[in-house]
Amino acid sequence: MTSKSLSVLEADALSIRRKFLKMHFEANAGHVGTGLSDIDILAYIYGKWLRPVDRFILSKGHGASSLYATLHHFGLLPDEDFATYYKDGTLLPAHPAAKALSAIPAATGSLGHGMPIAAGMSYAQKHVHLTEARVACLVSDGECDEGTIWEAALFAAHHRLDNLVVIVDANGLQGFGRTEDVMNLEPLPSKWEAFGFRTSEINGHDFAQIDAAFETPGDGRPHCIVARTVKGKGVTFMENRLEWHYLPMSQAQYEQALEHIGNSETSKGGGR
Amino acid sequence: VRVEFVRAVADVLAGDAKSMFITGDLGYNALEQLSATLGRRFLNAGVAEQNMMGVAAGAALTGLKPWVYSIAPFATYRCLEQIRNDICLHALPVRIAGNGGGFTYGIMGSTHHALEDLAVLKSLPNMQLFFPCANDHVAAAVVKMAALDGPSYIRLSISAFGTNREVLHEHPETLTRRYFVRPSPQKGGITIVGAGHGVQVALSALSHLGLDRENVDVFGVARFPWDLVKDTDLTASVAATRKVIFIEEHYRTGGMGESFVAAGMPLESFRILSASYDPNQRYGSARFHMQQCNLTPEALMAAVRGDQQPRS
């Protein structure tokens, strides 16, 4: 999988977006916008970066459905489980559940929890088990309001956890407004830098940039990739719209959304 | 109590390479040796309790069994959601040690008292609670915790009324202690049950105030969820007396007394001596605080006398 070309990853991401939209339409479920902003990153992580010994923690638990779609796409989530998404009796609720799926190590959903868990895993692997295992952790930009993100950042930098990579899905929107209006986070890359991370800032929908960021050589510090993304990426009427954090799709909107992502297949634009 | 705890944990850590010890920047004059011995298995997580619990969960997800240490209020309240979500929901073998339960930290003030710790933790899934009755009860609790596959909490406390008293019996599983048995168990009487170091109030009354030895049985309970089926001497005593006075250095609401009565034993009377909140709180030693909320050997004597009056 490590030899996968970027064009193949783009095709993976398109398939995952289709799968993801279908899931949400059939389940009549919200959180559509947030999934579309992180699918390219997930496609890269599962399509290229993650080795069997490595772990991925979705700290932004509201992105669960995009993770389910990604896991299913790459054969890491069985059809019979995947088909139950959002239904009574499922192991696939709107935020990842504890001990439900072998591919998802930790339940998340209350923001600011995944990153300390990822830091603990990184510490244990590097300093106690003495392995080469790596940990990737995806946080949202709004999640960076949580103090635990920065507690964990201090911890990771202090312990030189260069086996940890934190990706910030910086789509500029949070629960009830734009991040710049609710709680300004900028300059986000220099904040992470100041906390002791080596930092990359990329367009989170451009696989060449994603790949370059993940492949940059380490220098002993943990790595933070600030991925500038678009909430609702690929579906024009959802892009950068707060309401698509919450709304389910009608039949017409679903059909239109499928059309849009098909048309935007080669578009890398939008990362701010 | 810290000395006993550290000694017991050191033994566990020495015998289990998968264990580690995490402190929330506390342990001066107590954890130095442990730190020197354990290398990277000893971790000072700094003054960041939420991150500390998340880190412990993450370490546990890699196969480690972390002990996490702070003072009782800091090890429980701020990081409650991390304990719930990251540790308990995943049923991870994280062993939380809260030093200074109840009023132990007396003059340090309300922020340092832990009077709701058992209440908030006992409702969490998979959580097991240990609250030793005395220093010589700590090691047994540590050994029990080390054997668990899931989360646990130990409340380390020092009673303002602490007294050395012989233990008549200690159950190897429940850790319930029988401290005093009245000579003629058939005749009425009262069963006094102390939760953890709360039992020291009764032991002090026995040793120093002439608590009515003809009419009381005294037990210390130390582990929750209860397993009262195993505590046959305690249940036999309650079956005979049908009167219980429960003592806990903890608020009544959500405390262990409520859980004891909820166990459903047939009772004619059940009274709880507990800590209480005072909006006009003044501060002092642990003993001062216990006197302020009438959680004393004298108050127990009065309660015993009151329960022995014929009911009108």
Side-chain angles (χ1 to χ4, degrees), chain A residues 55 57 97-99 105-125 127-129 146-148 151-153 155 158-159, chain B residues 17-20 39-45 47-59 61-64 78 81-83 85-86 89-91 126:
Chain A
R55 291 291 177 270
I57 300 288
K99 298 164 69 72
T108 51
S110 178
L111 295 174
H113 281 246
M115 177 139 169
I117 291 171
M121 296 171 95
S122 302
Y123 179 92
Q125 293 297 358
H127 293 307
V128 182
H129 301 299
E146 294 280 6
T148 48
E151 288 183 12
F155 175 89
H158 179 80
H159 292 287
Chain B
K18 294 290 185 193
S19 286
M20 69 180 294
R40 298 309 288 259
R41 285 201 290 143
F42 183 94
L43 173 59
N44 183 347
V47 191
E49 293 79 13
Q50 296 173 86
N51 182 62
M52 175 167 70
M53 292 301 173
V55 163
L61 284 167
T62 73
L64 296 178
R78 184 202 292 266
E81 193 181 55
Q82 281 74 20
I83 297 174
N85 290 11
D86 307 347
L89 289 180
H90 296 86
N126 302 310

Side-chain angles (χ1 to χ4, degrees), chain B residues 27-306:
Chain B
Y28 173 71
N29 214 14
L31 300 179
E32 289 82 358
Q33 182 61 39
L34 209 54
S35 168
T37 308
L38 291 175
R40 298 309 288 259
R41 285 201 290 143
F42 183 94
L43 173 59
N44 183 347
V47 191
E49 293 79 13
Q50 296 173 86
N51 182 62
M52 175 167 70
M53 292 301 173
V55 163
L61 284 167
T62 73
L64 296 178
K65 291 175 278 185
W67 293 81
V68 185
Y69 175 87
S70 187
I71 74 167
F74 304 167
T76 50
Y77 306 131
R78 184 202 292 266
C79 47
L80 180 61
E81 193 181 55
Q82 281 74 20
I83 297 174
R84 171 186 179 265
N85 290 11
D86 307 347
I87 296 169
C88 288
L89 289 180
H90 296 86
L92 292 172
V94 176
R95 299 81 178 255
I96 300 165
N99 189 35
F103 287 122
T104 302
Y105 277 107
I107 191 64
M108 294 295 123
S110 298
T111 55
H112 283 53
H113 300 160
L115 300 165
E116 320 86 342
D117 53 336
L118 301 175
V120 297
L121 295 179
K122 78 177 178 185
S123 59
L124 299 181
N126 302 310
M127 175 59 85
Q128 296 214 23
L129 306 179
F130 293 84
F131 28 98
C133 295
N135 290 357
D136 64 2
H137 208 192
V138 170
V142 165
V143 168
K144 290 287 167 217
M145 291 169 78
L148 295 174
D149 293 328
S152 55
Y153 170 75
I154 184 167
R155 185 191 219 222
L156 301 167
S157 311
I158 300 170
S159 173
F161 298 101
T163 181
N164 284 327
R165 193 153 183 109
E166 184 192 358
V167 180
L168 302 181
H169 179 255
E170 178 178 315
H171 193 282
E173 289 301 319
T174 68
L175 305 183
T176 295
R177 283 182 159 187
R178 180 165 209 164
Y179 275 106
F180 188 77
V181 56
R182 64 211 157 107
S184 307
Q186 300 85 349
K187 296 190 299 178
I190 297 170
T191 306
I192 298 173
V193 182
H197 72 307
V199 77
Q200 295 290 338
V201 169
L203 302 189
S204 178
L206 269 175
S207 296
H208 306 302
L209 295 181
L211 182 66
D212 183 353
R213 292 162 183 252
E214 297 300 311
N215 284 303
V216 298
D217 290 334
V218 180
F219 295 89
V221 288
R223 184 172 182 176
F224 187 85
W226 313 125
D227 193 357
L228 293 172
V229 172
K230 292 191 175 125
D231 286 329
T232 48
D233 49 357
L234 171 58
T235 52
S237 171
V238 174
T241 65
R242 293 181 168 250
K243 290 181 178 175
V244 170
I245 298 175
F246 196 93
I247 311 168
E248 56 185 332
E249 203 173 308
H250 188 282
Y251 287 151
R252 177 174 313 217
T253 300
M256 303 318 299
E258 288 184 351
S259 289
F260 191 83
V261 78
M265 285 184 279
L267 294 169
E268 288 171 21
S269 79
F270 184 80
R271 303 182 59 173
I272 302 179
L273 299 188
S274 62
S276 54
Y277 171 72
D278 179 356
N280 301 309
Q281 182 81 64
R282 299 213 170 230
Y283 301 93
S285 63
R287 182 178 285 246
F288 170 82
H289 283 284
M290 293 181 75
Q291 286 163 342
Q292 291 290 296
C293 48
N294 219 17
L295 185 54
T296 59
E298 291 80 5
L300 174 63
M301 300 285 285
V304 168
R305 280 195 297 272

Side-chain angles (χ1 to χ4, degrees), chain A residues 37-53:
Chain A
S37 84
D38 65 32
I39 279 175
D40 295 315
I41 297 160
L42 293 176
Y44 181 85
I45 288 172
Y46 281 93
K48 178 146 193 238
W49 185 82
L50 204 71
R51 304 167 304 174
V53 294

